[in-house]
Amino acid sequence: MLRRIGILAVAALATACLTGTPPATAEEGPEQIPNGTFDSTTDPWWHTANLNFELTDGRLCSDIPGGTTNPWDAIIGVNDIPLVQDETYAFSFFATASPGKVARAYVQLPTDPYTQYVAAAPELSVSGNTYSYTFTSPVDLPNAQVVFQLGGSATAWRFCVDNVSLKGGAPPDIYTPDTGPRVRVNQVAYLPKGPKNATVVTDATEALPWQLKNSAGTVVANGTTTPRGVDSSSAQNVHSIDFGSYTKAGTGYTLTADGETSRPFDIKPDSYADLKLDALKFFYTQRSGIAIDDALRPGYGRPAGHVDVAPNQGDKNVPCQPGVCDYTLDVSGGWYDAGDHGKYVVNGGISVAQLMSEFERTKNAATAKPVGSLNIPESGDDVPDILDEARWEQEFLLKMQRPDGMAHHKIHDENWTGLPLLPHLDPQKRELHPVSTAATLNLAATAAQAARVFAPYDAAFSAKNLAAAKKAWAAAKAHPNLLASPSDGVGGGTYDDANVSDEFYWAAAELYITTGEQEFKDYVLASPLHTADIWNTGAMDWGNVAALGRLDLATVPNALPGRDDVRASVVAGADKYLGILKAHPYGLPYNAASYDWGSNSIVVNNMVVMATAYDITGDVKYRDGVLQGIDYIFGRNALNQSYVTGYGEVASKNQHSRWYAHSLDTSLPNPPRGTLSGGPNSSIQDPVAQAKLTGCVAQFCYIDDIGSWATNELTINWNAPMSWIAAFIADQGDGTVKAPASCAVTYTTHGSWPQGFTTQVTLKNTGTKAIDGWSLKWSFLGGQKVEHSWSAKFSQQGATVTAANETYNKKIQPGQSVTFGFNGQGAPQANPAPDLFTLNGAACSG
Ligand code: 9MR
């Protein structure tokens, strides 16, 4: 037993309280572990032949050799522990690891099949923690084993353990999250001219009075709640509050109902401007293959990961898994997928696509505004930062393509690593996994999109992407059924997908939009997915990408026959999600009996569909759906918490990550501001969630613990739609809907030749007042450039063109028009008429 017993006891109790384990009770049974305190001997504990025991500071310690493969390649254990069926046991121990490591702790059958009655994967730190678990024994067994499995690390480390205890008679482990006041609000902000809704958890079945108070405590509005019955996603009886008629900006508001006062919140214009940038800045610190500059991200600087500097084995010369291929590839760069060091083409694809779509929205949506500086190394070049960031990933995706056009599914470590582990310290062998049709089509789709969005900035990169996209498309058609294995999940995620018809549709859609070519048009029109109802419980995710194609066909200019129907189908999807949101007492566009892995991304992606419907129709009900949906993410939920780091009074901050592992190593940071957590996941696949949340009802299946990879990871494919939505909301300013301009534009391309075209534009004043001075803006699809023009002053930035009046045609009387034109250059690919024209900053109403 450690001498500093007082300190340890306090530490143990604190941990027990933190983890929600009830303190020991008088009824607890006798200690079952012989010599768990190691006061003077290590007997009767045993170890595998590759270990030794030492008694150090009253603890059992052992140096664990590096270079083993499996957890069970190094074990410390004790035998002959009696278990009584249906008895609930408290199992606990104190342990340290230097450097920090994940160990396995099991109470198990001592022989094959080694059935585990409690299975824990504690993340051990240098300073040490007490870990406590309860379980109910399903068997009567005289000789159970307690083991610590310590193998599987490439490098050597030291393990120490103390106070190993197993006692029967433990009260069941009931974890009760601290959910604070029963009035649930968006803890970040409501827009002054936007909807404002809240939820009250109450036993009352009749309407209750509510008051809105300002920061001085003065009641500024009041009303009565709407009883909503029992919400199935939380099993709570709830009421909702609508205080949307109050529009005065301010900070520190609170809502009071049923004797409870909400956490404070703001009513503020532009309160999402920071999130718009933070959610995108997330990607820089996920970068592989480049040092993260501490000057750009104070507190987040780190050496480059996986650039072939020891102990990394590097990504510049990566072999395949044994037997998969006989070559190596340079697949350095890209973004780390999540909290692991893996890089996956399926998942990189949807993530980079959503960033590029966020950029394309700035060209095609009436309310969209440019994204701004992300404070990345490329800031200040001529390319929008959001595209520079997307390019970091797209370059990696291109490297994953083989000469025959097929793309490798993924590259990651040979074995899973523990936490914490900074990218440059990962010692594992990196391996390429087989090519897959899904990965190849992710490459085809994103490269086709990249070909058009990068065209104005880098013609060579654009051409490279287009060639890669076409090659990938042809390869996928030749190998339409090479599926990633669902069991290829050691050292990295599987991202397996049994149905790639949606990947084919998405790739064809992007190739068609970029090229206008017949083959892709025919494929899109013939695909059953083109007209299918694809608006499922979740609109899109890494394995369901038809909506990515559908949304882009609807919003990026193209000449597809029946395009109006495509646009109408997106609006139909938005109607569905809006209906779900309105029926939901917590106001979210997600209705599921059991919540899926990454449920927050489903909520946000369904909001993307509503936001797109707003961009298409201008109907404010869709925008309000988005503004209401975001309330759930920021605290109008059963746990009364925000799921975005740094936003809201109580917010996720311990997301599962090997390098933002502050809760395991205080010298490391928490995730950066603007990081979305995966959120409630009913299947609670990880041991932390299983220990704390078993039996949870959907919204409660979440814990802000770094060990809960199933409920609390961070990923590129979750922050991508988060950033898209943050931009959409930020672009709404204070929520005032801008009146459209009274104008109509006819844009006619009269002639075209391989590298050029001539277009005439007529701007008509459809209003009742004269237009006195005009500046008309639109965007080209890709690399088109105005070369020669007449009757207006032209300027161009990227793909965005501004035509301003000459002195002589400055005034346009009601009903009158002006006509001007230009010769454009560089339209070897599709050159559709723009959908959006803005006159002096407001969209022409048509
Ligand atoms: O987000 C993925 C989720 O949809 C899957 O159900 C889950 C299990 O296959 O994997 C998730 O993705 C993880 C990936 O496999 C590895 N990197 C971390 C990802 C997020 O948890």
Side-chain angles (χ1 to χ4, degrees):
M1 169 75 75
L2 188 69
R3 289 293 154 230
R4 286 176 290 128
I5 185 159
I7 296 169
L8 188 68
V10 170
L13 189 63
T15 308
C17 292
L18 269 180
T19 55
T21 306
T25 63
E27 303 85 59
E28 72 187 10
E31 180 58 72
Q32 303 297 336
I33 303 287
N35 186 28
T37 53
F38 312 110
D39 289 332
S40 55
T41 171
T42 58
D43 291 341
W45 287 73
W46 53 264
H47 57 75
T48 46
N50 53 350
L51 303 181
N52 285 308
F53 281 160
E54 284 171 35
L55 277 180
T56 306
D57 292 339
R59 297 172 179 168
L60 180 155
C61 294
S62 183
D63 288 315
I64 315 299
T68 63
T69 309
N70 305 297
W72 55 88
D73 291 340
I75 308 179
I76 290 172
V78 66
N79 291 345
D80 299 327
I81 311 295
L83 293 180
V84 177
Q85 187 169 4
D86 296 332
E87 180 79 20
T88 299
Y89 290 88
F91 173 50
S92 64
F93 54 89
F94 173 89
T96 69
S98 184
K101 283 278 177 241
V102 176
R104 307 284 190 283
Y106 301 138
V107 179
Q108 65 179 22
L109 193 69
T111 52
D112 200 18
Y114 298 99
T115 312
Q116 293 154 357
Y117 310 117
V118 65
E123 284 144 0
L124 310 182
S125 66
V126 175
S127 55
N129 279 306
T130 294
Y131 300 85
S132 310
Y133 310 89
T134 56
F135 68 101
T136 304
S137 175
V139 289
D140 273 319
L141 187 70
N143 61 339
Q145 250 180 2
V146 170
V147 293
F148 295 97
Q149 294 191 353
L150 307 167
S153 169
T155 51
W157 60 291
R158 186 170 172 81
F159 171 75
C160 295
V161 67
D162 201 357
N163 295 340
V164 187
S165 167
L166 182 73
K167 290 179 177 176
D173 185 6
I174 299 167
Y175 165 74
T176 316
D178 177 5
T179 54
R182 287 183 285 106
V183 183
R184 307 290 158 74
V185 297
N186 176 334
Q187 296 171 24
V188 175
Y190 298 89
L191 300 190
K193 303 286 171 51
K196 298 170 199 74
N197 296 278
T199 294
V200 191
V201 180
T202 173
D203 291 335
T205 49
E206 302 294 320
L208 297 165
W210 59 260
Q211 289 104 33
L212 174 69
K213 293 179 189 160
N214 64 18
S215 56
T218 311
V219 175
V220 292
N222 56 64
T224 50
T225 64
T226 305
R228 304 292 297 265
V230 175
D231 161 42
S232 60
S233 68
S234 61
Q236 294 169 325
N237 185 60
V238 292
H239 295 196
S240 50
I241 293 174
D242 180 347
F243 60 110
S245 57
Y246 186 81
T247 58
K248 194 165 169 219
T251 58
Y253 286 102
T254 54
L255 261 182
T256 302
D258 199 25
E260 294 267 315
T261 295
S262 74
R263 291 188 171 137
F265 58 89
D266 297 346
I267 297 177
K268 231 171 83 191
D270 300 324
S271 27
Y272 291 84
D274 287 350
L275 183 64
K276 174 174 176 173
L277 298 176
D278 286 341
L280 279 173
K281 287 180 177 177
F282 166 91
F283 289 89
Y284 172 51
T285 44
Q286 286 294 115
R287 285 191 194 182
S288 178
I290 186 175
I292 304 306
D293 185 349
D294 203 65
L296 297 176
R297 291 292 182 285
Y300 291 89
R302 59 171 171 82
H306 298 98
V307 287
D308 299 19
V309 174
N312 276 176
Q313 299 196 35
D315 286 358
K316 295 191 178 212
N317 204 17
V318 181
C320 282
Q321 284 173 305
V324 168
C325 74
D326 56 5
Y327 50 84
T328 62
L329 287 183
D330 175 353
V331 290
S332 55
W335 299 318
Y336 295 116
D337 186 58
D340 60 329
H341 301 140
K343 302 190 296 192
Y344 310 83
V345 174
V346 168
N347 208 45
I350 185 171
S351 310
V352 74
Q354 290 195 301
L355 258 61
M356 289 191 283
S357 289
E358 183 177 338
F359 168 75
E360 283 199 289
R361 184 176 174 270
T362 66
K363 302 202 302 182
N364 303 317
T367 61
K369 302 188 177 68
V371 173
S373 173
L374 300 178
N375 228 10
I376 54 179
E378 300 81 7
S379 294
D381 66 9
D382 291 339
V383 184
D385 280 4
I386 186 171
L387 288 187
D388 280 325
E389 192 56 67
R391 181 171 180 159
W392 191 263
E393 178 71 0
Q394 188 58 32
E395 297 266 20
F396 158 72
L397 297 182
L398 291 169
K399 290 179 179 176
M400 292 290 276
Q401 188 175 32
R402 289 198 309 209
D404 72 348
M406 294 298 287
H408 285 276
H409 197 69
K410 54 180 187 163
I411 176 246
H412 58 67
D413 289 341
E414 187 182 22
N415 283 297
W416 284 109
T417 54
L419 286 76
L421 186 63
L422 282 157
H424 70 286
L425 297 177
D426 171 18
Q428 288 277 325
K429 183 179 170 204
R430 307 281 276 177
E431 288 178 338
L432 285 165
H433 292 243
V435 296
S436 72
T437 310
T440 305
L441 291 166
N442 268 260
L443 176 65
T446 59
Q449 189 175 13
R452 62 177 186 265
V453 300
F454 285 97
Y457 307 103
D458 187 337
F461 184 59
S462 165
K464 182 179 177 183
N465 273 285
L466 189 58
K470 287 187 164 177
K471 198 168 191 179
W473 173 260
K477 291 205 68 181
H479 304 283
N481 218 17
L482 284 180
L483 301 180
S485 164
S487 52
D488 186 16
V490 177
T494 55
Y495 285 119
D496 60 300
D497 183 356
N499 182 346
V500 294
S501 62
D502 51 322
E503 280 78 7
F504 269 108
Y505 174 69
W506 174 35
E510 298 301 338
L511 276 157
Y512 170 67
I513 294 169
T514 299
T515 66
E517 287 171 12
Q518 191 73 34
E519 177 187 357
F520 308 117
K521 176 172 156 179
D522 290 348
Y523 193 96
V524 165
L525 293 175
S527 168
L529 286 170
H530 186 52
T531 47
D533 179 2
I534 54 172
W535 311 114
N536 300 316
T537 307
M540 56 218 169
D541 57 50
W542 58 263
N544 296 285
V545 291
L548 295 176
R550 184 83 69 83
L551 291 170
D552 279 359
L553 286 169
T555 57
V556 180
N558 65 79
L560 191 74
R563 182 153 176 254
D564 286 349
D565 293 341
V566 177
R567 287 161 78 85
S569 80
V570 172
V571 177
D575 283 328
K576 175 172 177 179
Y577 297 123
L578 192 56
I580 290 171
L581 176 150
K582 285 191 168 156
H584 202 298
Y586 275 102
L588 64 152
Y590 178 49
N591 179 18
S594 98
Y595 274 29
D596 212 345
W597 195 313
S599 63
N600 282 339
S601 74
I602 301 176
V603 174
V604 175
N605 270 315
N606 291 352
M607 285 159 59
V608 169
V609 180
M610 292 191 287
T612 305
Y614 178 59
D615 289 342
I616 291 171
T617 64
D619 187 336
V620 79
K621 72 181 180 191
Y622 300 115
R623 186 208 68 165
D624 285 355
V626 177
L627 296 178
Q628 207 174 324
I630 202 67
D631 297 343
Y632 168 82
I633 298 291
F634 288 127
R636 188 188 175 198
N637 55 48
L639 291 175
N640 195 5
Q641 70 148 89
S642 158
Y643 288 107
V644 178
T645 309
Y647 286 83
E649 286 282 306
V650 176
S652 299
K653 59 179 190 305
N654 296 312
Q655 288 94 329
H656 180 79
S657 162
R658 281 167 176 70
W659 55 105
Y660 308 127
H662 183 80
S663 60
L664 299 175
D665 176 347
T666 49
S667 70
L668 295 172
N670 286 109
R673 278 174 65 82
T675 300
L676 177 67
S677 166
N681 170 4
S682 300
S683 301
I684 53 170
Q685 290 90 338
D686 65 77
V688 171
Q690 284 164 6
K692 299 280 185 283
L693 305 174
T694 296
C696 57
V697 177
Q699 281 202 51
F700 285 102
C701 300
Y702 172 80
I703 184 164
D704 185 23
D705 185 306
I706 194 166
S708 184
W709 37 264
T711 80
N712 196 35
E713 192 153 357
L714 50 83
T715 73
I716 53 174
N717 62 310
W718 300 338
N719 249 69
M722 184 70 243
S723 77
W724 196 108
I725 280 297
F728 177 88
I729 297 176
D731 292 348
Q732 308 308 314
D734 74 349
T736 303
V737 177
K738 197 167 185 174
S742 301
C743 46
V745 174
T746 325
Y747 181 100
T748 314
T749 296
H750 285 297
S752 63
W753 51 98
Q755 290 297 328
F757 60 101
T758 299
T759 293
Q760 179 170 294
V761 183
T762 302
L763 168 63
K764 181 175 182 183
N765 181 350
T766 56
T768 51
K769 284 191 216 135
I771 295 169
D772 190 10
W774 48 269
S775 168
L776 189 72
K777 205 183 249 193
W778 69 84
S779 294
F780 292 133
L781 178 79
Q784 294 84 352
K785 284 202 163 46
V786 173
E787 218 191 10
H788 169 72
S789 63
W790 51 93
S791 307
K793 289 188 191 111
F794 277 76
S795 58
Q796 184 170 354
Q797 261 203 329
T800 300
V801 178
T802 305
N805 63 270
E806 301 281 3
T807 325
Y808 63 84
N809 59 9
K810 185 166 172 248
K811 241 188 180 143
I812 316 174
Q813 297 297 343
Q816 299 298 303
S817 302
V818 293
T819 296
F820 52 92
F822 64 97
N823 284 337
Q825 192 197 33
Q829 307 302 330
N831 185 25
D835 292 333
L836 175 73
F837 295 91
T838 54
L839 174 67
N840 302 336
C844 282
S845 55

